[in-house]
Amino acid sequence: MYEQVSHALLNDILDELRPDLKRQDLRHFYTRLGANFYAIHSLFSHLYGRRDDFFEQMTALVDRLARAYIDRPTELERIDMAREEDHNWFLSQDIVGMALYCDGFAGTLEGLEAHLPYLSELGVNMVHILPILSCPEGASDGGYAVKDFRDLDERFGTLEDLRSLSESMRKRGMLLTLDVIVNHTSDEHVWAARAKAGYPDFQDFYYLFDSRDLPDIFEETMPEIFPETSPGSFTWDPTLGKWVMTVFNSYQWDLNYTNPRVLIEMVDIILFWANQGADIVRLDAVAFLWKKIGTICQNEREAHLILQLMKDCCQVTAPGVLFIAEAIVAPLEIIKYFGEDAVIAKECEIAYNATLMALLWDALATRDVRIMRHALQRRFAIPGGCAWVNYIRCHDDIGWVFTNEDIEAMGLDAKQHRRFLKQFYTGRFEGSFARGAPFQENPLTGDARISGTCASLAGLEKGLAENDQNEVDMAIRRILLLHGIIMLIGGIPLIYLGDELGMLNDYDYDKDPTKVGDSRWLHRSHFDWQGAEQRHDLNTVAGRIYKGLLRLVQLRQQNLAFTRAETEFTDTGNPHVFGFFRNHDQYSVLVLGNFSEKEQRLEARRLRHMGMRKTMVDLYAGRTITATQELVIEPYQLMVLTRAV
Ligand code: GLC
Ligand code: GLC
């Protein structure tokens, strides 16, 4: 019955639009619209069905989908069709990602295009360019406060430059990832300007309140995201004479998705960037899309419905484009962004594996892998047709997003343990190798997240400052161990530019008034081209890290055990040694990682119970090992052992 309603509605909408669209060849569009319309209609009516203008809004949405389809370059449509045929294309072991700032790396998009060979040389074939859209001068949350969603910041270049970059990338077999900041705009965006000028239609784009009554009720349950620099979740706007919901910085206005026009605009913006050549769209802060009084205003069911709707719309116009969910939330919540109960992804195909990221840093600090193993055994598996993006560092802080339950299961006190991690990574804990800084320390809760580069957090900064050769060696091993895990564990590894050379913290950021107080700038400095020059010199630290990482990338890309293979975590019998199998048909390997600075031993008998032979090949070191009684693993060593099957 309901499907009939949906068919009838689609006919009415097309009758409305056809006169306008009739000169176009829309065959593929109609097929895809037909296939996805039932879902689109159901979701749209669930969200907006009670409105008088429902039909008008639904028609406006389909109109935008059709127009974006007409604008889609032929070459991209060809790719859409190839990817529809092979919809698991992105699960290949070949994909290796890198996240970077265009200005810090290469100045402009043109510069970035010229420097693509640097990325290819390391085997990188997916590049996330951090935000390049038009932003206000001054503070803009590193580009995440956008002034114009359809224009680039002129510092980076023009849309023409971006198209040229995307073409060059395509020729090199590289995927382009761009951000769409779906949750908020800058207070200088034209919608905000019109709201300030008094247009009610645009005031409806945001959450505005005349008094503190509702903001006070909201704030009772909403956690603060930037408690140090932007406390609370609302900001008084003197021009409007109203309180505006601003969950992040005071100049980032939250969009109001109870208004269908917001959703329609955002779908259109996603499709706009898809048509500029983005293969992957990173949807920023998706957990925050729906606000409800009495809740933490994160991970609400409607936020998921909005994402499903965005995905279904994208399937109609640009089906080759993938979504990455940036939801740095509790493990059980992150997984839902792949689409709940979905055998095949219905929401985002890819999500940041914040759980693994936090667990890796946890294991490095404690030298104990039991929490990580326990948590991953429960939280790593995801639906078919989806992938984790596994990372160690990104442009943001490290939050301790694992669950208290997983810490308590190991007999630890969660609160104390979190405090220990904060102390450890800010270097306040006696004997810590890490040199990081707290981010948004909350005096009320005592919580803080952590900023700092991978190398500084892993001990390299301390080792170099103290001229301690052993500490430098250990730090290099730690960096490679962490990267080895993200390369091999299953999913898409995402390297943060500079980590391949061991770049250290940049303490100069707070001389810049637009950055002061935001310690994330410690790890967002200009790329170290001098270090890059040394990448082939094994007498340098940069060269040692680079070479190790290159080997790991090659190991991943050349071995079928890492393609679409399942991951099976195993108890190695030693609390310092992490282990997992990757099994794919006749290929199977055991990856072992020693998370301590002491040599560790595994009983050979135990290895044989796991199906290993006495003689094994370590693919990483490129040598044969015979373990008669025991297998000896050096400090922070990573081993990739072949298993006979
Ligand atoms: C995302 C970005 C982060 C930004 C926040 C608000 O989490 O990664 O850098 O501060 O969104 O836009
Ligand atoms: C919070 C948010 C995350 C954002 C980060 C920025 O952790 O959950 O989305 O990236 O803040 O610091």
Side-chain angles (χ1 to χ4, degrees), residues 141 144 181 184 226 248-249 252 282 284-285 326 328 395-396 520 524:
D141 193 24
Y144 283 99
I181 294 116
H184 43 258
F226 295 146
F248 290 87
N249 287 294
Q252 286 165 306
R282 175 190 183 275
D284 181 63
E326 193 253 351
I328 313 304
H395 68 291
D396 279 330
R520 290 176 297 174
R524 295 175 174 181

